[in-house]
Amino acid sequence: MTQLKQGKPVRGTGVREAAAQATRDSILRAATKVFARYGYDGGSVEKISQTAKTYDRMIYYYFGNKEGLFIAVLEDIYQRMDDAEAKFAPDPSDPVEALKTVVRFKVAYYRKNPDFITLLNTENLHKGKHVSKSPRAREFSAQAVTLIADILAVGAERGLFRSDLDARDVYLLIVSMSYFYTSNRYTMSAFLGEALDGAEAVARWEAVVIDCILRTVRVDAPSR
Amino acid sequence: MTQLKQGKPVRGTGVREAAAQATRDSILRAATKVFARYGYDGGSVEKISQTAKTYDRMIYYYFGNKEGLFIAVLEDIYQRMDDAEAKFAPDPSDPVEALKTVVRFKVAYYRKNPDFITLLNTENLHKGKHVSKSPRAREFSAQAVTLIADILAVGAERGLFRSDLDARDVYLLIVSMSYFYTSNRYTMSAFLGEALDGAEAVARWEAVVIDCILRTVRVDAPSR
Amino acid sequence: MTQLKQGKPVRGTGVREAAAQATRDSILRAATKVFARYGYDGGSVEKISQTAKTYDRMIYYYFGNKEGLFIAVLEDIYQRMDDAEAKFAPDPSDPVEALKTVVRFKVAYYRKNPDFITLLNTENLHKGKHVSKSPRAREFSAQAVTLIADILAVGAERGLFRSDLDARDVYLLIVSMSYFYTSNRYTMSAFLGEALDGAEAVARWEAVVIDCILRTVRVDAPSR
Amino acid sequence: MTQLKQGKPVRGTGVREAAAQATRDSILRAATKVFARYGYDGGSVEKISQTAKTYDRMIYYYFGNKEGLFIAVLEDIYQRMDDAEAKFAPDPSDPVEALKTVVRFKVAYYRKNPDFITLLNTENLHKGKHVSKSPRAREFSAQAVTLIADILAVGAERGLFRSDLDARDVYLLIVSMSYFYTSNRYTMSAFLGEALDGAEAVARWEAVVIDCILRTVRVDAPSR
DNA sequence: TATGAATGAGCGTTCATTCAT
DNA sequence: CATGAATGAACGCTCATTCAT
């Protein structure tokens, strides 16, 4: 379809509205789980309604259609990621430690939220067509980039970090390394012949990433 | 019905065998395209048979079932990647240049073969269940890792590179940055509000990655 | 999709429930006819839905799957046989006449309900696997055997019948002769070279069976 | 189809003809097993060719098509039954013992050859359409009836048996009771709530049938 | 607001059969 | 004589979605 149908938001604060909100939430949670596990095409409306212990019809009532539901799921996981990022908020005044914290947060977040990854991969498979239909999804954008920029600025000011860095690049470097490691753990484990998802292996990777990032941002030692 | 059970290769060199091989190949090519575009569930047998200009029935004839076809596709793209990697073969005797070449190759390969990426993401969505059923897929493994190891060894010997590095880690760093940039270009472009897939943007990213990798592997300049 | 999982009965008495019941009934009737005529494998879901003037989909809606529908058909024909048997109810006080009535009923019932026979044969081809899945099918059991027992008891009491008879055996004898004659009429007619299904031939067979049964249950005339 | 295609019979006695005959026989044996187990529609050409360890194509080569193969199977089992019946050949000079032997043979034959029963039931499901296309199937006919006639004649001559009996009726009575017991053992076991196929239960039933038949054919004791 | 009933297209797969050597 | 390749219809079943209350 081309025209996006909208489901009704739940309004009001009465008892019935609360019940309705509960139904809506339970559908959203179920859809997140099902889409994350089976992808967009593999995640059927029936699987979702059963997981949510409600009826197919309710999905159409609240979200218009399957696509509308998927968009709502994307908006929701972006929102939750944004909230989590705002919450952990490292202090830029110690730029080295702050950068380490950012990496640790990213590695941990992807590892603990594999749904986030498979949903984003699913969306990329569809060339971002759902995100592009969501006005809300565009709002989030890069508070994380701003944070990196702050850290880099403090670091540069103190002569610790290079001053020719683009915060966006550093952000992308951190995200790449953190995301890919979880995202491709199954094929990579098979390819390398060793498991990547043990706690020990993850800790090791975290150290590698921190080392890599710090070496990248630090000023070159003055050559003699 | 049909006498084949599994996706046996076509044997013989006569005219009919050649025609049969052509049919088989055309199915494999079509399946690669369709699975890469629509994912496993979204890639229907009918879409594939129509793209290959043959009949659904032939897919079962040559590949047993949909899953067998998907496995064959995975084996094929791994094989082609392996071949390409063997072919580009940079000389480790100039380790800095060799590392740069590896990065350039990886960035370019993923960019030119987005099918490879969506197929691998699809397989990761399914937790690697198809790869685990393929004996051939296990054979490829890491000639690339060996190459990196060679480069790092020469570099360390000459006092250019650190000697405490694990080739696997460096390999993973390079792959992460190269893969992720293409893999998540749609959601990242939306998130950052700027296009990532232009030639210029890619060249820029390639430079960032090369810089990052070299800084990571180089020995620390002796502090005075 | 559809909310029902198994063949729930239709509840309620409103207009819509009545329409739903009509749909369900029409599927059941059509399935009885089609399965009886073509067997389980030969009786396709499409043939049934077309006969019932509805959609394939509705079969899954009301009966879960093809097997569920077949089980429902078996339960239904057993139920109808049970009802018919309860209804004809001969008076055991005239045991000879009662036995004759039982035979006449059996011969007539199988003749008038060839569907019952082909469905049972189909189920025996499948080694009773569907009946074994039906809780309801087990309930019916042998009210007919009880009736035979009553008749034999009265007959024995009056010195007409033997007292060493097992009602179950007599029941099986009657059923064998009645059932087989209709069940195997096509191969038997070909084998014997004469038609068995004319009204006259059936009447003749009925007499043979009655004679056979009565001679079997009667006390031996006291030899002098 | 309406026109019966014929497969080629195997001619000659050379080595290659023997191999061909072996292939043909193995298909026939496999088809008997498969049709007996799954029915006509449920018994696919593939199942048969695999069981026979040959190729689908061979079935068409030797038997024309699926229907031709089924007809060949029917002819074969009729032939084998006829041979077995000719072989056991009881002596009519002791008519009581001969009748008992006939019953024992019938009960045993059906029990040991359930394939015969399911194939005949399958053919009856199809209203005898295949038998009617077989010229050979008509030849067998009732040597068994003739045997019964002989036995009854001797018995009547000696004043042991009634003289108003039709051999065909007695034959049908014996066959009914023997055939039905095995034919409907699954549904009947479920219905009666007791297993019918144990050796003991079968022996018991054999005795019941013998008793029933003898009482039916014996002359009435002269009433005083 | 919630729910049972209906709809028709499409799914992966198997069918019996024929075409070519 | 045997066999690999091809064919198109049909199979049981699930899909996302809409109609009615």
Side-chain angles (χ1 to χ4, degrees), chain A residues 38-85:
Chain A
Y38 300 101
Y40 182 78
D41 289 290
S44 70
V45 172
E46 180 184 5
K47 266 181 201 145
I48 294 166
S49 72
Q50 268 176 231
T51 304
K53 282 173 187 152
T54 179
Y55 302 84
D56 287 12
R57 195 62 192 77
M58 290 296 92
I59 289 173
Y60 293 91
Y61 187 78
Y62 284 115
F63 299 95
N65 56 17
K66 186 180 179 177
E67 201 179 4
L69 175 56
F70 187 73
I71 290 171
V73 166
L74 285 180
E75 288 174 342
D76 185 55
I77 59 159
Y78 265 119
Q79 180 67 63
R80 293 207 322 254
M81 210 266 282
D82 215 46
D83 291 351
E85 219 148 38

Side-chain angles (χ1 to χ4, degrees), chain B residues 63-224:
Chain B
F63 299 95
N65 55 22
K66 187 181 180 178
E67 201 178 1
L69 175 56
F70 188 72
I71 290 171
V73 166
L74 285 181
E75 288 175 343
D76 186 56
I77 58 159
Y78 265 120
Q79 179 69 64
R80 291 204 324 250
M81 208 265 282
D82 215 46
D83 291 349
E85 217 148 41
K87 213 170 169 183
F88 99 104
D91 185 358
S93 68
D94 182 346
V96 171
E97 197 52 39
L99 263 190
K100 287 185 182 174
T101 305
V102 169
V103 171
R104 287 195 197 103
F105 171 78
K106 285 288 175 194
V107 169
Y109 192 83
Y110 294 136
R111 184 168 149 77
K112 285 185 191 159
N113 297 278
D115 285 3
F116 184 79
I117 284 183
T118 49
L119 287 166
L120 250 58
N121 282 356
T122 295
E123 178 61 359
N124 277 294
L125 176 66
H126 291 88
K127 311 201 174 187
K129 68 176 270 207
H130 303 108
V131 166
S132 72
K133 287 183 185 172
S134 163
R136 278 188 57 205
R138 238 81 57 85
E139 294 171 19
F140 300 117
S141 168
Q143 63 163 288
V145 178
T146 310
L147 174 63
I148 301 281
D150 291 346
I151 295 171
L152 292 181
V154 173
E157 205 175 297
R158 303 215 186 137
L160 295 167
F161 293 172
R162 297 158 58 194
S163 56
D164 62 338
L165 288 165
D166 186 328
R168 198 215 62 165
D169 291 337
V170 176
Y171 172 78
L172 272 179
L173 286 174
I174 296 173
V175 171
S176 299
M177 304 178 210
S178 312
Y179 186 100
F180 178 88
Y181 188 86
T182 295
S183 163
N184 286 45
R185 64 194 183 285
Y186 295 107
T187 52
M188 264 300 152
S189 290
F191 188 71
L192 296 174
E194 56 179 301
L196 299 184
D197 49 1
E200 211 173 323
V202 173
R204 182 193 151 91
W205 180 247
E206 187 183 286
V208 169
V209 176
I210 286 174
D211 180 60
C212 172
I213 291 297
L214 287 180
R215 284 177 186 270
T216 299
V217 301
R218 275 191 170 126
V219 293
D220 298 321
S223 56
R224 208 179 327 195

Side-chain angles (χ1 to χ4, degrees), chain D residues 25-150:
Chain D
D25 285 354
S26 122
I27 290 172
L28 198 61
R29 266 200 313 274
T32 303
K33 213 189 294 185
V34 171
F35 282 137
R37 179 155 178 192
Y38 300 100
Y40 182 78
D41 288 289
S44 71
V45 171
E46 181 184 7
K47 266 181 201 146
I48 294 166
S49 72
Q50 269 178 231
T51 305
K53 283 171 186 152
T54 179
Y55 303 84
D56 289 12
R57 196 59 193 77
M58 289 295 93
I59 290 173
Y60 293 91
Y61 187 78
Y62 285 115
F63 299 95
N65 58 17
K66 186 180 181 180
E67 200 178 7
L69 176 56
F70 187 72
I71 291 171
V73 166
L74 284 180
E75 288 174 342
D76 185 57
I77 58 158
Y78 265 121
Q79 180 69 60
R80 292 208 320 255
M81 210 267 282
D82 215 45
D83 292 350
E85 219 149 37
K87 212 170 170 185
F88 99 104
D91 184 358
S93 68
D94 183 346
V96 170
E97 198 51 40
L99 264 189
K100 287 183 181 176
T101 305
V102 170
V103 171
R104 286 194 198 104
F105 172 78
K106 284 289 176 193
V107 169
Y109 192 83
Y110 293 136
R111 183 169 152 77
K112 286 183 191 161
N113 297 278
D115 285 3
F116 183 80
I117 283 182
T118 49
L119 287 166
L120 250 58
N121 281 358
T122 294
E123 179 60 1
N124 277 293
L125 176 67
H126 292 88
K127 311 202 175 186
K129 70 176 269 205
H130 304 108
V131 166
S132 73
K133 287 183 186 173
S134 162
R136 280 187 57 205
R138 237 78 60 87
E139 293 170 17
F140 299 116
S141 168
Q143 64 162 289
V145 178
T146 311
L147 175 63
I148 301 283
D150 292 347

Side-chain angles (χ1 to χ4, degrees), chain A residues 91-96 148-161:
Chain A
D91 184 359
S93 68
D94 180 347
V96 171
I148 300 283
D150 291 348
I151 294 170
L152 292 182
V154 173
E157 202 175 298
R158 304 218 186 134
L160 294 167
F161 293 172

Side-chain angles (χ1 to χ4, degrees), chain C residues 119-195:
Chain C
L119 288 166
L120 252 58
N121 282 357
T122 293
E123 177 61 359
N124 277 293
L125 176 67
H126 291 87
K127 312 203 173 186
K129 68 175 269 205
H130 303 107
V131 166
S132 72
K133 288 183 185 172
S134 162
R136 279 189 56 205
R138 238 77 60 85
E139 294 172 18
F140 300 117
S141 169
Q143 64 162 288
V145 178
T146 312
L147 174 62
I148 301 282
D150 291 346
I151 295 171
L152 291 181
V154 174
E157 203 176 299
R158 302 215 188 137
L160 294 167
F161 293 172
R162 295 157 62 194
S163 55
D164 63 338
L165 290 164
D166 185 329
R168 198 215 64 165
D169 292 336
V170 176
Y171 171 78
L172 271 180
L173 287 174
I174 295 173
V175 170
S176 298
M177 303 178 210
S178 311
Y179 186 101
F180 178 88
Y181 188 86
T182 294
S183 162
N184 286 44
R185 63 194 184 283
Y186 295 108
T187 52
M188 265 298 152
S189 289
F191 188 72
L192 296 174
E194 55 177 302

Side-chain angles (χ1 to χ4, degrees), chain A residues 7-40:
Chain A
K8 299 189 185 172
V10 177
R11 288 183 212 285
T13 53
V15 183
R16 282 170 63 189
E17 285 84 1
Q21 186 67 51
T23 301
R24 213 194 107 102
D25 285 354
S26 120
I27 289 173
L28 198 61
R29 266 198 315 276
T32 304
K33 211 189 297 184
V34 170
F35 281 136
R37 177 156 180 190
Y38 300 101
Y40 182 78

